[in-house]
Amino acid sequence: MESQLSNVLNIENLSVDVGERNILKSLNLTIKSGEIHALMGPNGAGKSTLAQAIIGNPKYKITSGRILVNGKDITDLQLYERAREGLFLAFQEPVAVQGLKYINFLRTAYMSLHPNEKLEYKKFIEQVQELLGLFRLDKSFVERSLNDGLSGGEKKRMEALQMLLFKPKFVILDEIDSGLDVDALKIVAEAVKKAKENGTGILIITHYKRILDYVSPDFIHVLVDGTIVESGKAEIAKKIEEFGYDYYRRGEASAKVG
Amino acid sequence: MQKLDENFEIRKDKYDFRTNIKPVYQVGQGLTRAVVEEISRVKKEPEWMKNIRLRALEIFNSKPLPTWGPDLSELNFDEITYYIKPEERKSTSWDEVPKEIKETFDKLGVPEMERKYLAGTVAQFESEGVYSKIKKQWEEKGVIFMDMDSALQRYPDIIREHFGRVVPASDNKFAALNTAVWSGGSFLYIPRGVHVDLPVQAYFRMNGELEGQFERTLIIAEEGASVHYIEGCTAPTYSRYALHAAVVEVYAKKNSKVRYTSIQNWSDNVINLPTKRAWVEENARMEWVQGSLGSKITMTYPSSILRGEYASTSNLNVALAMGEVWKDNGAKVVHAAPNTSSKVVAKSISGRGGMSVYRGLLRINQGAYNSKSSVQCDALIVDDVSKSNTYPHNEILEDTAAFSHEASVGKISEEQINYLMSRGIREEDARSLIVLGFLDDVLKEIPLEYSIEFNKLIRLEMSKMGAVG
């Protein structure tokens, strides 16, 4: 059934400013159902900016270009509306809300994202608890406060959990691998593969090759200074590891392409 | 689990309706010796009560308006009507309550709550209790729950012994006013060793403007008794003010436990100035739970005087200050015996220009060995035009006492809103979730029906808010 899904996320000539600064410059990217894309790049290249601009954080001003989900232009939609169109970001540093219980948050979010589904509370809790098990998190997490007093690794796992629970069309994972130990990384990588099997289109933002060894992305893109300078397959990750991002900055990549 | 995102209707105006009745009697406007005497005469009171009233009137006249808190200058004591008797009868069956008044309480859900989970109910309309009932099983055990005027007629000796001792008329200007013109309120008596395992509720309804409601409540829990008393208050909105100045006196005797939950949702024109205090004897426990949703001005500082060894108290306060309102809430605790303990938690939300104040007094007397106390006040300000202040006053006179005080002021951050919105949640719902999260640990202490009201009200308030400042 999943294989029949054919969603497409198009990012066309996207330019984004933060404050007065131009960060992204005419960026193009297309992600389809069941594809895993990795976006690599040095600090400050604009990776997180791309993630925030896609989901509609108002701080990130789109100055030109558009974002389309299955051909529908969502560039002017608010955050919550884009989420309802099927976009999901696993935050690099998810913010805490004291006293807001996970179960309450997850349920409110789920009902907002799937307004036509009749949600049985008991089944929903069971589903959440099953997922907690999958991520090796204690069942008592449902009663804990959102991102409050969690370790870095726990927060990341809860972000990945939401990815499976909410069933979005497209997922952006913003440095989901930072702060994870090897065991947790494997668990998260399994979840990403599962999302892929379910037909989700995935964009993994990372500095490191490590997570890519577990999830084997279909495409790797290199972002430098707000532009994708190279796209390709697994060999790119090796190249980055060998030569570093300076390789692209010096313009050697373009010289060697083709 | 509270339902947050379902299609319930938000109805603040559930309470905002006027009942069309003609009172059977009311005194003229203004406060004079003649008015006080008239109230006492109409009520056919014993002479000693009339004298208490008249002395209190003198005290009231001798005290200035407090100026250390919100501005009370709007109050003009000459234009207020102090006593309005809506109805001749006092009923113990809803069928006997006049139709308009019964319909009023039906709309407020009072008989329904009574059927569902209460051991007893007193319902007051304007100045008088119109209905009171205690379920038979408790009546048989000697529990008394009725309006205060009836109690004065039936149990004058008990009233005389306890009236005005915990809260003397001289305590403050509005305690004096209440003592002079009090009417209605409830009398709750729990005999030795009786545990009333369902709450009892008194519901106070005001119906007009430029009028006052001055109910007088007396709660006596004898040795080893326990009870949970709930108080609900509402009124319709008017352009001019209405004054509510209650006095509540609680006697928590040895080994007893009293919980007093007050949920006031007065309309935006009500000035709410009650005085509430408990004497807590040896090993007894007094719990104050205050939900302050409505009113234009509120000044209330429920107090516990821990008089016996091992007496304890908790004071939980949640205040919403949304719009042009001033909430001056707090707590007073006096540790007057060894090994006593107290815990004060106050949370407030201010928005749309609202002002919330925590004002507290915590005293541990010399000789109250090994007493413990903690005070925590947290404020959440939801926009850039609202305010919150904290005035804790702590007098720790005993070296062996342990005392802690924590205070925090927070704001809703843009990051929090964005995170929640990125999960498909609308901005106003995101705000509600954050506010309700902030209140979570105190809301669960509030009876379910009222915490649902709280939920709805917060959602309503958040939907009125603009974009993040």
Side-chain angles (χ1 to χ4, degrees):
Chain A
M1 187 187 85
E2 280 80 9
S3 60
Q4 292 169 0
L5 285 175
S6 57
N7 297 311
V8 186
L9 172 66
N10 288 307
I11 293 153
E12 295 179 358
N13 297 316
L14 196 71
S15 295
V16 176
D17 286 5
V18 180
E20 298 292 297
R21 269 189 70 206
N22 173 242
I23 306 290
L24 295 183
K25 303 167 177 90
S26 284
L27 187 143
N28 288 287
L29 185 63
T30 298
I31 299 173
K32 293 179 182 156
S33 288
E35 291 177 353
I36 298 181
H37 292 243
L39 183 69
M40 302 185 73
N43 283 328
K47 300 188 301 296
S48 288
T49 297
L50 177 62
Q52 296 288 342
I54 292 174
I55 63 156
N57 184 331
K59 258 193 180 162
Y60 296 77
K61 297 235 158 31
I62 295 175
T63 53
S64 67
R66 9 177 245 171
I67 302 165
L68 307 159
V69 172
N70 296 337
K72 180 181 171 183
D73 189 343
I74 62 156
T75 318
D76 294 328
L77 296 189
Q78 285 193 59
L79 267 164
Y80 78 94
E81 294 168 313
R82 296 195 201 184
R84 292 177 187 191
E85 292 294 335
L87 299 185
F88 176 90
L89 171 65
F91 281 71
Q92 189 181 347
E93 284 166 23
V95 66
V97 181
Q98 208 186 0
L100 173 55
K101 289 193 181 112
Y102 265 108
I103 192 62
N104 218 343
F105 158 69
L106 294 173
R107 181 161 163 265
T108 307
Y110 193 92
M111 291 192 300
S112 305
L113 294 166
H114 303 280
N116 299 325
E117 240 175 84
K118 210 164 155 66
L119 189 71
E120 273 185 59
Y121 187 53
K122 235 185 103 186
K123 275 193 188 158
F124 184 72
I125 289 191
E126 283 168 14
Q127 203 185 336
V128 171
Q129 287 182 336
E130 201 177 301
L131 285 172
L132 285 169
L134 189 75
F135 284 94
R136 307 262 198 285
L137 291 167
D138 195 82
K139 280 182 179 175
S140 63
F141 264 75
V142 295
E143 292 294 321
R144 291 185 64 171
S145 295
L146 181 63
N147 295 314
D148 191 26
L150 274 67
S151 72
E154 286 169 340
K155 286 184 199 170
K156 294 293 171 74
R157 280 184 273 171
M158 287 307 284
E159 291 292 294
L161 179 147
Q162 292 175 51
M163 164 185 79
L164 292 186
L165 181 68
F166 297 149
K167 296 172 284 198
K169 294 189 181 93
F170 297 97
V171 165
I172 306 159
L173 302 156
D174 192 1
E175 294 191 21
I176 192 86
D177 48 344
S178 65
L180 285 186
D181 60 32
V182 182
D183 294 334
L185 186 65
K186 278 183 192 165
I187 293 167
V188 168
E190 283 307 311
V192 171
K193 283 191 225 166
K194 204 167 172 179
K196 176 188 164 85
E197 282 164 26
N198 293 343
T200 307
I202 295 156
L203 178 65
I204 298 174
I205 293 173
T206 182
H207 285 289
Y208 308 107
K209 188 170 154 289
R210 198 172 60 143
I211 187 170
L212 306 183
D213 294 339
Y214 291 105
V215 298
S216 26
D218 302 292
F219 302 94
I220 297 177
H221 311 277
V222 181
L223 184 72
V224 177
D225 295 336
T227 323
I228 289 179
V229 292
E230 188 169 15
S231 296
K233 305 267 171 176
E235 75 281 357
I236 292 182
K238 281 188 205 132
K239 198 154 47 173
I240 291 168
E241 220 167 36
E242 210 170 314
F243 302 110
Y245 294 112
D246 279 347
Y247 170 80
Y248 294 98
R249 286 217 180 89
R250 288 198 298 266
E252 287 170 30
S254 52
K256 287 187 181 174
V257 164
Chain B
M1 178 57 51
Q2 268 137 38
K3 295 175 181 178
L4 200 70
D5 203 27
E6 281 171 14
N7 299 324
F8 54 69
E9 223 181 318
I10 297 171
R11 295 166 304 174
K12 166 115 178 155
D13 57 0
K14 180 181 170 189
Y15 310 112
D16 191 8
F17 62 91
R18 301 172 187 183
T19 309
N20 198 4
I21 63 148
K22 207 170 168 295
V24 292
Y25 177 81
Q26 67 183 63
V27 293
Q29 284 176 322
L31 184 58
T32 59
R33 196 177 162 93
V35 163
V36 172
E37 283 173 340
E38 177 69 0
I39 291 171
S40 189
R41 189 189 63 76
V42 170
K43 289 176 177 291
K44 301 187 178 71
E45 285 178 351
E47 190 70 13
W48 60 264
M49 182 57 82
K50 187 178 84 181
N51 292 334
I52 286 177
R53 288 179 182 275
L54 290 171
R55 271 201 304 277
L57 178 65
E58 283 169 20
I59 294 167
F60 169 78
N61 285 328
S62 72
K63 282 188 185 285
L65 270 180
T67 51
W68 39 263
D71 180 11
L72 299 173
S73 60
E74 182 185 10
L75 282 172
N76 174 355
F77 294 103
D78 294 333
E79 63 180 354
I80 295 172
T81 302
Y82 290 85
Y83 177 67
I84 301 168
K85 186 179 189 177
E87 161 62 19
E88 207 62 60
R89 254 182 322 190
K90 292 182 182 298
S91 307
T92 52
S93 154
W94 284 108
D95 294 338
E96 293 164 16
V97 177
K99 190 166 160 273
E100 293 79 8
I101 296 178
K102 179 178 183 293
E103 279 172 6
T104 298
F105 286 108
D106 275 339
K107 279 192 205 171
L108 302 170
V110 174
E112 190 191 343
M113 279 188 267
E114 179 179 12
R115 280 194 302 274
K116 275 195 196 157
Y117 70 94
L118 296 173
T121 296
V122 164
Q124 177 162 343
F125 191 87
E126 305 286 40
S127 300
E128 291 282 352
V130 292
Y131 170 87
S132 74
K133 178 91 180 203
I134 180 84
K135 281 185 179 155
K136 209 168 170 197
Q137 66 181 112
W138 303 113
E139 197 176 11
E140 282 167 356
K141 288 188 173 157
V143 176
I144 304 167
F145 189 42
M146 61 176 58
D147 70 275
M148 191 67 175
D149 294 282
S150 301
L152 178 60
Q153 298 300 328
R154 294 200 29 204
Y155 309 100
D157 294 343
I158 301 181
I159 305 297
R160 192 171 189 176
E161 190 190 331
H162 295 89
F163 190 98
R165 288 180 69 205
V166 179
V167 180
S170 57
D171 188 79
N172 66 74
K173 188 170 181 71
F174 294 95
L177 177 62
N178 175 284
T179 308
V181 297
W182 75 268
S183 181
S186 41
F187 174 61
L188 174 61
Y189 178 85
I190 317 295
R192 199 180 167 122
V194 173
H195 300 281
V196 185
D197 54 9
L198 293 174
V200 299
Q201 171 166 268
Y203 201 100
F204 299 97
R205 176 74 177 174
M206 274 197 281
N207 192 47
E209 61 185 332
L210 296 177
E211 65 170 52
Q213 194 175 54
F214 306 97
E215 86 265 13
R216 183 91 192 188
T217 288
L218 174 60
I219 297 173
I220 303 168
E222 292 287 3
E223 265 191 52
S226 70
V227 71
H228 179 190
Y229 174 92
I230 301 172
E231 162 187 85
C233 323
T234 59
T237 301
Y238 287 92
S239 56
R240 299 297 310 277
Y241 64 86
L243 173 62
H244 175 257
V247 166
V248 174
E249 298 180 279
V250 179
Y251 292 81
K253 298 200 178 167
K254 191 176 169 182
N255 299 328
S256 71
K257 184 184 168 193
V258 177
R259 171 173 273 221
Y260 190 111
T261 298
S262 175
I263 309 290
Q264 69 87 351
N265 198 0
W266 294 118
S267 50
D268 296 345
N269 61 313
V270 171
I271 297 173
N272 181 40
L273 310 168
T275 306
K276 299 174 173 179
R277 188 170 304 154
W279 278 359
V280 194
E281 306 295 348
E282 185 184 333
N283 200 40
R285 178 162 179 80
M286 179 69 210
E287 299 174 346
W288 297 101
V289 179
Q290 302 276 312
S292 184
L293 288 86
S295 83
K296 175 184 197 171
I297 293 170
T298 283
M299 297 170 77
T300 178
Y301 322 98
S303 318
S304 295
I305 315 295
L306 306 175
R307 293 156 50 102
E309 211 169 337
Y310 295 102
S312 68
T313 188
S314 68
N315 195 318
L316 241 66
N317 214 313
V318 197
L320 269 185
M322 304 298 294
E324 296 290 303
V325 304
W326 184 312
K327 293 290 178 71
D328 215 271
N329 286 287
K332 282 190 211 171
V333 182
V334 177
H335 292 254
N339 297 305
T340 49
S341 61
S342 65
K343 182 182 178 183
V344 175
V345 178
K347 295 215 175 191
S348 70
I349 315 278
S350 343
R352 291 194 292 115
M355 166 67 124
S356 76
V357 170
Y358 172 81
R359 201 184 296 273
L361 170 71
L362 197 295
R363 192 166 83 209
I364 302 182
N365 286 350
Q366 199 174 0
Y369 311 111
N370 304 320
S371 289
K372 279 181 284 194
S373 173
S374 70
V375 177
Q376 178 200 336
C377 17
D378 299 319
L380 184 67
I381 303 175
V382 300
D383 56 27
D384 291 335
V385 294
S386 307
K387 286 181 186 162
S388 172
N389 282 325
T390 305
Y391 304 105
H393 186 76
N394 308 313
E395 298 173 21
I396 315 303
L397 308 172
E398 169 54 46
D399 291 340
T400 62
F403 171 71
S404 71
H405 177 253
E406 287 172 46
S408 76
V409 181
K411 285 198 163 199
I412 294 181
S413 77
E414 216 168 313
E415 259 183 294
Q416 289 175 320
I417 299 274
N418 287 341
Y419 182 87
L420 295 174
M421 285 180 79
S422 82
R423 301 313 192 229
I425 298 168
R426 282 173 183 274
E427 182 171 342
E428 64 252 42
D429 294 334
R431 285 176 187 283
S432 302
L433 285 174
I434 294 166
V435 171
L436 290 168
F438 170 75
L439 296 179
D440 183 65
D441 50 345
V442 283
L443 278 188
K444 64 187 176 210
E445 297 296 327
I446 287 175
L448 185 66
E449 311 263 327
Y450 287 109
S451 68
I452 290 171
E453 282 310 321
F454 236 107
N455 244 301
K456 290 180 189 176
L457 192 60
I458 283 163
R459 283 174 54 87
L460 176 72
E461 289 294 347
M462 294 305 119
S463 70
K464 290 181 192 165
M465 307 278 311
V468 185

